[in-house]
Amino acid sequence: MQQNIDYSKGIYDARQLGTGRMLILGIQHMFAMFGATVLVPLLTGLSVSTTLLCAGLGTLLFHFITKKKVPAFLGSSFAYLGGFSTVASMPAYDGLDPELKLAYALGGIVIAGLLYLVLALLFKVLGAKTVMRYFPPIVTGPMIIMIGLNLSGSAITNASSCWWLALVAMAIIVVANIWGKGM
């Protein structure tokens, strides 16, 4: 028996959705996680197995710290691909061994991780409402757009190798957007 669920509010227990919807969302989450966690290392030259191991360990640590309150998988982020491509194409690094270039790019990721820790500390000390006043949608929206635009060239290049698959993916996105309301 399906309950009436108000989807405009957050759902804090996925079991409310029923087995069918949980299965569909679980499969969708698995494809999203696997795609990012495997594709990012392939694009950057990192080890896929190391990335999967670190993503799994990071997720377990996250669940331990949050006392299993947030159902999430921590995988790779496409946000760093712009930085990787910038380091790879910088004239200052011409002639360097690709592995040394990768080390410089990874150093940037370590700095970004430290900034994440500082931001987490600000959330803990000042509270979410205070910190979020400085990150309204007018600030975060353009940043998300910039990440997408930075990746658009790669998307077009990848789509040009198999247009029919790209069109099928776009059709699925449109159909899910139109008829997937409430999911």
Side-chain angles (χ1 to χ4, degrees):
M1 184 168 111
Q2 185 68 29
Q3 302 173 359
N4 288 335
I5 300 172
D6 182 7
Y7 292 108
S8 65
K9 295 187 170 95
I11 295 175
Y12 296 99
D13 186 359
R15 290 175 290 204
Q16 288 178 272
L17 297 173
T19 305
R21 284 186 175 165
M22 283 193 332
L23 182 63
I24 290 169
L25 291 174
I27 290 169
Q28 182 269 336
H29 188 78
M30 187 223 23
F31 277 112
M33 173 281 303
F34 193 77
T37 307
V38 171
L39 185 58
V40 169
L42 288 175
L43 292 173
T44 58
L46 298 171
S47 166
V48 174
S49 56
T50 302
T51 303
L52 285 169
L53 175 69
C54 290
L57 292 174
T59 300
L60 291 174
L61 180 64
F62 176 79
H63 285 295
F64 175 75
I65 290 171
T66 61
K67 298 176 179 76
K68 298 182 183 177
K69 290 181 181 176
V70 183
F73 176 85
L74 305 180
S76 302
S77 173
F78 286 93
Y80 296 107
L81 290 182
F84 273 98
S85 65
T86 300
V87 169
S89 63
M90 288 179 73
Y93 298 126
D94 283 345
L96 279 182
D97 181 39
E99 292 205 13
L100 189 57
K101 285 184 185 181
L102 184 62
Y104 282 113
L106 292 174
I109 289 176
V110 169
I111 299 299
L114 292 173
L115 289 173
Y116 278 134
L117 287 175
V118 168
L119 189 60
L121 183 64
L122 286 173
F123 269 88
K124 181 75 174 168
V125 172
L126 301 175
K129 284 188 176 183
T130 304
V131 175
M132 291 307 290
R133 279 193 321 198
Y134 298 101
F135 297 101
I138 195 74
V139 173
T140 56
M143 293 306 297
I144 293 169
I145 290 169
M146 290 304 297
I147 292 169
L149 287 174
N150 197 11
L151 293 172
S152 64
S154 174
I156 291 170
T157 302
N158 290 335
S160 67
S161 65
C162 188
W163 281 110
W164 71 266
L165 184 60
L167 292 173
V168 167
M170 286 298 296
I172 291 171
I173 291 168
V174 169
V175 166
N177 209 7
I178 293 171
W179 289 289
K181 300 291 185 210
M183 289 289 288

